[in-house]
Amino acid sequence: MQVAPIPGLDSEINDVRLATANIVTRYVIPNEDRLGDWESPGRPELFRELQENVKKAGLWAPHLPKEYGGMGIGFLKHAYMNEILAWSAYSNPIFGVVAPDSGNQTILIKYGTDEQKKKWLEPLIAGEIRSCFSMTEPDAPGSNPYAIQTRAVRDGDEWVINGRKWFTSGAKGAAFAIVMCRTEEPDGTGGTREKMTQIIVPTDTPGFKIERSIPVWGRDSNHCEITYSNVRVPVTNQLGRTGTGHQAAQDRLGAGRVFHCMNSIGQMWRAFDLMVQRAIAREVHGGKLETKQFIQGFIADSYIDIQAARLMTIHTAQVIDTGGDSRTDISAIKIFVPAAFERVVDRAIQVHGAMGVSGDTPLAGMYQGARTLRIADGPDEVHKILIAKNVLKKYHDGMSWDFGI
Ligand SMILES: Cc1cc2nc3c(=O)[nH]c(=O)nc-3n(C[C@H](O)[C@H](O)[C@H](O)COP(=O)(O)OP(=O)(O)OC[C@H]3O[C@@H](n4cnc5c(N)ncnc54)[C@H](O)[C@@H]3O)c2cc1C
C-alpha cells in the first residue's frame, strides 16, 4: 500500500500522511504476525520500539492536545492521518490511541479537577495504567441512556454505588472505571435525566467485582460484566458537576464515533488492497479473477463505498473543527461507515474464498469488527431516529436543511 500527497491539501496534513504511511508500511504491517501473537518472544519490546519511532516522528497521540503530550491536530487532520494509520489493526496502540483510554482521557481533560488529572489522567497518558468506561447495563436498554439503573447515593463525603454493568471493555487490568450513575439524594428524590453523573471508581475498591468477561464472536476480548455492591468512593471522584454525566457521555461518544469511522476507513482501504491484489494474482477456471465481471463489480462498488465513507467522515471532522453542530453528521457517518465497511470486507472475503474466513488475512477480524460497530456506540436505528428528528425540527422551525454545513 502506498500514499501520495493529495493536491491542494494543507502541506502539514500531507506531511503527516506520508510520515504515518512510512511507519505503518515499513514497521507495523511487516510485524503484524509478531504483534498479534501474545506468546511471541520480544513482543512488548517490539511495541515499545515502534512507539519510540512514532514519538520521534512527532506522530504520538493525535487525539490529545499538545499540552498533554499529543499532536493537537484537531479532527480534520486526524481523519486524514487515521485513514492511513488504521491500515493495520495494531497501529492504534503504537500511535498512542487506545480505546477506551483515549475516550476517558478526553473527558478527564474536559471535566477533571486538577487533583483527578494528576491522579488518573497523567498516568493514563503515560501508559502506566489502563481504564474502562462502564455505562451499559444488562437490565436497561443501552440505546436509552436515561434508563440507567445503577444508583449512587450520597452518604456524607462519599458516593455509595449499587448496580450491574456489562460490556465494560478493558475492565480486566484497568486501574479505574468511569461509571455512569443515577445520582440520587438519600430520600430517593432526583434520578431524573438531569441526575446522571460519571464517577471514577478505582477497580480495587471493595464491592467492585468483575463477574465474567463476556465472549464476543466466541472469543474472550475483555468486555466485562461487573457488579457494584455498596461501592464507596469520595465525592471528589465525581467527574464534573452532578448531573453532567449525560453531556460528558455525549462528548466522549461523539468523538469516539468519529474515531471509529476514521479507523474503519483505514481498514476498508486495507481490505480493498487485499481484494485487488488477490484478484490480480488468483487464477481460476478460465483466467484471472480480475477478468471476471462479478469481481470487477466488487472492486468498483468497494471503491465507491470507501470514497463515500471517507468524504462523509472528512466533512464531519471539518464541521466539528469549525465549531458547527455536528450531531446529525456524526449520526450519519455512524450508520453509513460501519455498513460500508461491512460491505467492502464482505466482498474482499468472497474474493479470497476459504482464505478470506481464515486467520491468514486480517479480513475475518475486520468483518466481526464492522458488524459489531453497527451496535456499539449506538445502534443504527437510534442514529436514524436522531437524524430524522434534527431534520424535521429544522422544517418545523420554518427552515430547510442547510446543505452548506
Ligand atoms: C464489543 C462491544 C463493546 C462495548 N463496549 C462498551 C463499553 O466499553 N462501555 C459501555 O458502557 N458499553 C459498551 N458496549 C455497549 C454498547 O454501547 C451497547 O450495546 C449499545 O449502546 C446498545 O445497547 P444495548 O446492547 O443495551 O441494546 P438495546 O438498547 O437493548 O437495543 C437492542 C436493539 O434494539 C433496537 N432499537 C433500540 N432502540 C430502538 C428504537 N428506538 N427504535 C427501533 N429500534 C431500536 C436496535 O436495533 C438495537 O440494536 C459495547 C458493546 C459491544 C458489542
Side-chain angles (χ1 to χ4, degrees):
M1 298 183 73
Q2 57 195 33
V3 64
I6 300 176
L9 194 67
D10 181 317
S11 63
E12 194 195 337
I13 306 181
N14 270 326
D15 290 347
V16 164
R17 284 167 59 86
L18 294 176
T20 304
N22 180 43
I23 291 182
V24 175
T25 53
R26 286 180 61 191
Y27 304 107
V28 183
I29 292 178
N31 278 308
E32 279 182 335
D33 284 346
R34 280 180 69 199
L35 293 168
D37 177 4
W38 285 83
E39 308 297 321
S40 167
R43 181 178 182 271
E45 292 76 15
L46 178 61
F47 259 105
R48 273 197 293 279
E49 186 189 317
L50 295 177
Q51 285 172 335
E52 283 312 312
N53 284 354
V54 166
K55 285 178 187 168
K56 271 190 218 134
L59 300 171
W60 182 252
H63 65 296
L64 287 179
K66 280 201 168 116
E67 62 267 34
Y68 289 97
M71 292 175 74
I73 53 173
F75 277 88
L76 183 62
K77 291 179 183 172
H78 191 179
Y80 274 113
M81 175 182 176
N82 231 66
E83 65 175 328
I84 293 165
L85 188 152
W87 287 347
S88 173
Y90 301 100
S91 290
N92 274 315
I94 290 167
F95 284 75
V97 194
V98 185
D101 292 338
S102 44
N104 287 345
Q105 289 162 359
T106 311
I107 43 174
L108 277 163
I109 287 173
K110 182 158 181 194
Y111 293 90
T113 60
D114 288 345
E115 188 196 337
Q116 289 168 346
K117 285 180 183 166
K118 196 154 187 47
K119 193 164 178 187
W120 307 112
L121 178 64
E122 288 178 14
L124 195 60
I125 289 176
E128 291 158 13
I129 57 170
R130 290 202 294 99
S131 65
C132 55
F133 183 68
S134 206
M135 178 160 152
T136 308
E137 303 182 349
D139 304 320
S143 36
N144 177 4
Y146 302 118
I148 279 168
Q149 294 179 7
T150 297
R151 284 182 157 70
V153 177
R154 185 83 184 253
D155 181 19
D157 287 341
E158 291 180 323
W159 283 115
V160 185
I161 303 171
N162 279 287
R164 180 180 282 261
K165 301 284 185 180
W166 73 350
F167 287 95
T168 299
S169 302
K172 276 196 285 180
F176 69 94
I178 295 181
V179 188
M180 184 71 129
C181 300
R182 184 178 283 273
T183 35
E184 297 195 332
E185 302 305 323
D187 64 1
T189 57
T192 60
R193 58 199 278 166
E194 289 78 28
K195 291 286 180 180
M196 297 295 174
T197 308
Q198 297 191 10
I199 299 174
I200 301 169
V201 175
T203 53
D204 59 1
T205 312
F208 176 98
K209 186 174 177 217
I210 295 179
E211 300 290 348
R212 62 177 178 136
S213 172
I214 305 160
V216 171
W217 295 104
R219 274 199 315 270
D220 176 356
S221 352
N222 202 359
H223 304 290
C224 297
E225 183 163 352
I226 301 169
T227 46
Y228 295 83
S229 312
N230 291 318
V231 170
R232 286 181 173 268
V233 293
V235 286
T236 48
N237 278 26
Q238 174 180 324
L239 258 179
R241 282 180 293 105
T242 309
T244 55
H246 182 66
Q247 183 54 50
Q250 283 313 309
D251 290 344
R252 182 187 192 284
L253 294 170
R257 285 166 187 143
V258 183
F259 292 143
H260 279 316
C261 289
M262 298 172 183
N263 263 328
S264 302
I265 291 158
Q267 293 182 71
M268 283 155 97
W269 278 129
R270 178 81 183 276
F272 181 79
D273 182 68
L274 289 168
M275 173 169 67
V276 178
Q277 302 270 14
R278 186 72 178 167
I280 290 170
R282 185 70 160 175
E283 185 86 31
V284 293
H285 187 77
K288 291 272 173 63
L289 277 176
E290 62 168 318
T291 63
K292 312 290 177 192
Q293 278 190 342
F294 277 124
I295 307 301
Q296 291 170 358
F298 286 170
I299 293 171
D301 287 341
S302 299
Y303 182 82
I304 293 165
D305 270 335
I306 299 173
Q307 286 294 14
R310 71 184 285 265
L311 293 174
M312 278 175 81
T313 304
I314 285 166
H315 165 75
T316 305
Q318 201 162 20
V319 173
I320 298 173
D321 275 358
T322 50
D325 182 352
S326 56
R327 287 171 300 180
T328 307
D329 286 313
I330 290 177
S331 284
I333 60 171
K334 178 61 183 59
I335 296 164
F336 186 81
V337 177
F341 181 19
E342 198 184 325
R343 289 193 294 271
V344 170
V345 178
D346 184 74
R347 295 181 197 115
I349 287 176
Q350 196 70 14
V351 169
H352 279 77
M355 188 186 175
V357 291
S358 76
D360 284 1
T361 77
L363 293 170
M366 285 182 189
Y367 189 73
Q368 293 174 348
R371 184 62 190 86
T372 305
L373 264 190
R374 292 187 46 217
I375 297 170
D377 280 1
D380 291 355
E381 293 74 15
V382 171
H383 287 290
K384 278 188 194 172
I385 292 166
L386 282 170
I387 294 172
K389 203 168 113 190
N390 292 346
V391 171
L392 289 169
K393 182 171 183 313
K394 279 245 172 181
Y395 279 79
H396 282 292
D397 289 348
M399 292 177 268
S400 63
W401 193 257
D402 180 354
F403 293 98
I405 55 163

